[in-house]
Amino acid sequence: NAGVTQTPKFQVLKTGQSMTLQCAQDMNHEYMSWYRQDPGMGLRLIHYSVGAGITDQGEVPNGYNVSRSTTEDFPLRLLSAAPSQTSVYFCASSYSWGAAETQYFGPGTRLLVL
Amino acid sequence: AQTVTQSQPEMSVQEAETVTLSCTYDTSESNYYLFWYKQPPSRQMILVIRQEAYKQQNATENRFSVNFQKAAKSFSLKISDSQLGDTAMYFCAFMFYGGATNKLIFGTGTLLAVQP
């Protein structure tokens, strides 16, 4: 198993550009989520999904869009990048939701918006 | 709303010694879980240990153990026989049990340096 994979590892964008951060897992996990990590603030939940076709907003969803067409993939789209979206983005997955399933994190994508 | 506080931004310990990282949280919920995650320089988030709030017994995982004080809303991590590979950022996290999401609420982290 590759676990949770994320691409790209690092990306530089200009303000206003759009891009998609990819996340995939091969563990047949129902629950997937996106967090962003900013200095001095820990990780904060952006969006999450409890299964294919079902997504919902987390704590900081503005400026981001998600969809979940398959169990394996959960891409995060930046619609119009802003410098405030400079951060490290983590994708996480767990077997199910509503219980304390261990969440497995991807290696992160570092995004710099100029 | 739930909050998690880690009051020690940085800590240092000598190799083979013991160190304790502090974490307090605030919640009105009774069913929840607490976690410690480790983030080494590679940035990979790794689960170290977890504690179910309904269990009185403190969780242990090899050299890692917790001191869970539910009434005081305290959840500290003790690392025994510290190793150089323990150098990392450590995050305390809270998760409400039974909700529609597995949302983890993280503290701001404690950067631990293990000195040779």
Side-chain angles (χ1 to χ4, degrees):
Chain A
N1 283 353
V4 181
T5 58
Q6 292 183 238
T7 55
K9 290 184 179 179
F10 177 65
Q11 183 72 45
V12 179
L13 288 180
K14 294 182 179 179
T15 297
Q17 287 185 319
S18 62
M19 79 160 294
T20 299
L21 280 64
Q22 301 292 345
C23 173
Q25 52 85 15
D26 61 356
M27 298 175 282
N28 200 30
H29 284 177
E30 287 294 324
Y31 183 87
M32 297 185 74
S33 58
W34 278 101
Y35 288 85
R36 61 177 287 173
Q37 181 179 23
D38 301 298
M41 296 188 73
L43 282 75
R44 292 178 294 167
L45 182 65
I46 304 172
H47 284 286
Y48 66 95
S49 169
V50 298
I54 306 170
T55 65
D56 206 344
Q57 297 181 352
E59 186 181 355
V60 287
N62 292 341
Y64 307 96
N65 199 5
V66 293
S67 61
R68 183 115 178 255
S69 56
T70 67
T71 298
E72 295 78 20
D73 301 297
F74 190 44
L76 178 72
R77 297 182 186 84
L78 278 70
L79 309 173
S80 177
S84 61
Q85 294 179 303
T86 292
S87 188
V88 180
Y89 292 85
F90 288 95
C91 180
S93 74
S94 61
Y95 181 72
S96 65
W97 56 275
E101 297 284 346
T102 297
Q103 294 198 47
Y104 297 86
F105 283 81
T109 292
R110 187 173 162 220
L111 178 67
L112 175 62
V113 182
L114 302 176
Chain B
Q2 293 85 7
T3 59
V4 177
T5 302
Q6 293 179 252
S7 59
Q8 305 153 314
E10 296 184 22
M11 294 191 71
S12 180
V13 64
Q14 293 295 122
E15 197 174 6
E17 294 189 344
T18 296
V19 64
T20 298
L21 309 184
S22 300
C23 173
T24 59
Y25 59 95
D26 187 23
T27 183
S28 59
E29 305 292 346
S30 57
N31 298 322
Y32 54 89
Y33 293 83
L34 295 162
F35 305 85
W36 280 98
Y37 278 87
K38 169 185 177 181
Q39 186 179 43
S42 66
R43 286 208 311 265
Q44 181 75 49
M45 294 289 288
I46 302 166
L47 178 65
V48 175
I49 199 166
R50 65 184 242 179
Q51 173 80 41
E52 289 86 347
Y54 63 85
K55 289 186 177 180
Q56 292 186 343
Q57 187 174 5
N58 289 326
T60 62
E61 287 288 339
N62 301 314
R63 298 183 294 108
F64 299 87
S65 61
V66 299
N67 184 5
F68 174 47
Q69 302 289 329
K70 190 172 184 179
K73 296 181 181 176
S74 172
F75 183 60
S76 61
L77 174 69
K78 186 173 79 171
I79 306 174
S80 303
D81 186 25
S82 297
Q83 301 175 0
L84 296 177
D86 295 333
T87 292
M89 181 74 86
Y90 287 81
F91 291 97
C92 179
F94 169 101
M95 186 174 78
F96 168 60
Y97 172 68
T101 171
N102 285 358
K103 175 184 176 180
L104 287 164
I105 300 171
F106 287 86
T108 53
T110 295
L111 181 61
L112 176 67
V114 180
Q115 307 292 343

